Structures are given as structure tokens and as C-alpha cells.
Amino acid sequence: MDKEKLLIVVDMQKDFVDGALGTKEAVAIVPPAVEKVKKEKEKGTSIWFTRDTHGEDYLQTQEGEKLPVPHCIQGTAGWEIIEELASYAETVIDKPSFGSLELARRVSEAGYREVELIGLCTDICVVSNALLIKAAAPEVRVSVDADCCAGVSPATHEAALLTMETCQVEVKRGQSEA
């Protein structure tokens, strides 16, 4: 099966935007991310969402020990895709870790020529999934729209973008209107 483009919206969930782990940078990317999703939908682009998903035992996990802030607990309001994007979230992949092996496998099997990622957090989940996809589907063109991503901090956002560029992931800047 040969398809042109897939847009992956990574972890645009309440807890990462304005909830438990929200930042002003995450809030700032909501309008351009919504605009990008709308435009891609109008073009007929396939759109998949990922959702960081933890259980009630989060604080007892390795991640919870290193980041002791309960977030994205399955079934809570913070776990949900933000309201502005929820109506576009027809295909959602719940992932229990930063990167999703299931997402990478599904992308590899789907036959897309291009995969673009946007979302949160650039320096954790976006970079993890971009590199897993690049490894699983090395001939697929993988890109990230920097204007529709935010990291834990501006410095780590930029570091992740540099890491992705080094690994042959195209970083788009100033194109979120395109």
C-alpha cells in the first residue's frame, strides 16, 4: 500500500499543555498546531495521534521515580487530547513510554512516503518517536515542524531538533502556515 503523507500529532494532551506538566511554550504551539492539523485534514493527509498513557501506579514505575509528577493517567481529564484537537483524533495510539514501538511498526507497514511529527515534548516523546520511525522505515522521509513543537525548555527543544537533524530527520521552521 502506497500513501503519500502521514501527520503524527504527539501527546497533545491537557497535562502537557496546561495541566500537570504544562508550559507556556506548550500553550503557545496550540494555535499553529491546530491550524496545521486543519490544513492537512483539508488536503486529505492521514493524521494519527499518540497519547502518553500511564496507570494509577505511575509513581512506582521507573519513569515515575525520575519524574514524580503524576500525569496522563488513563481515564483522567489530563490524559485526553486537548479540546481544540480532539475532533481530529480518529486514530489514537496509546503509548506507555516516550517512544512507541507500535507506532513505528504501524508506520513501517503502512507504506507512507513522508511522515511529519508535531507536538509535545520535542525533547522527549517527539524525538523518541521520530528516531524509532526513522529506524523502522529508513527510506521514509521523516520531518518535524519545529513551530508546532515545544520541549520541556527552549534549550532542550533546540537540542532535540539538532539531534534529529543529525539523524536525517528534516526540521522545518517557519513553515507552519504552509
Side-chain angles (χ1 to χ4, degrees), residues 13 38 43 55 110 132 143 151:
Q13 296 163 264
K38 284 181 181 177
K43 291 180 194 175
L132 283 171
S143 65

Side-chain angles (χ1 to χ4, degrees), residues 21 58-59 62-71:
L21 294 173
Y58 172 75
L59 292 175
Q62 284 188 32
E63 180 182 331
E65 290 174 10
K66 295 192 183 295
L67 178 64
V69 179
H71 65 281

Side-chain angles (χ1 to χ4, degrees), residues 13-40:
Q13 296 163 264
K14 182 163 180 44
D15 273 349
F16 288 130
V17 175
D18 60 4
L21 294 173
T23 64
K24 66 181 186 205
E25 292 85 7
V27 170
I29 70 157
V30 170
V34 170
E35 191 61 28
K36 180 171 211 74
V37 168
K38 284 181 181 177
K39 286 182 178 177
E40 292 296 335

Side-chain angles (χ1 to χ4, degrees), residues 44-107:
T45 301
S46 295
I47 303 171
W48 295 356
F49 283 71
T50 68
R51 189 166 45 195
D52 196 45
T53 302
H54 301 294
E56 293 292 334
D57 66 341
Y58 172 75
L59 292 175
Q60 284 73 52
T61 67
Q62 284 188 32
E63 180 182 331
E65 290 174 10
K66 295 192 183 295
L67 178 64
V69 179
H71 65 281
C72 300
I73 306 299
Q74 188 169 8
T76 66
W79 173 69
E80 298 295 338
I81 303 295
I82 60 171
E83 184 178 337
E84 297 89 334
L85 291 171
S87 65
Y88 297 97
E90 296 171 11
T91 300
V92 180
I93 298 169
D94 292 333
K95 56 184 193 55
S97 63
F98 304 139
S100 172
L101 294 172
E102 178 188 353
L103 175 65
R105 178 190 57 75
R106 287 175 64 175
V107 168

Side-chain angles (χ1 to χ4, degrees), residues 120-132:
L120 301 166
C121 291
T122 318
D123 43 356
I124 301 173
C125 295
V126 174
V127 66
S128 297
N129 285 295
L131 296 179
L132 283 171

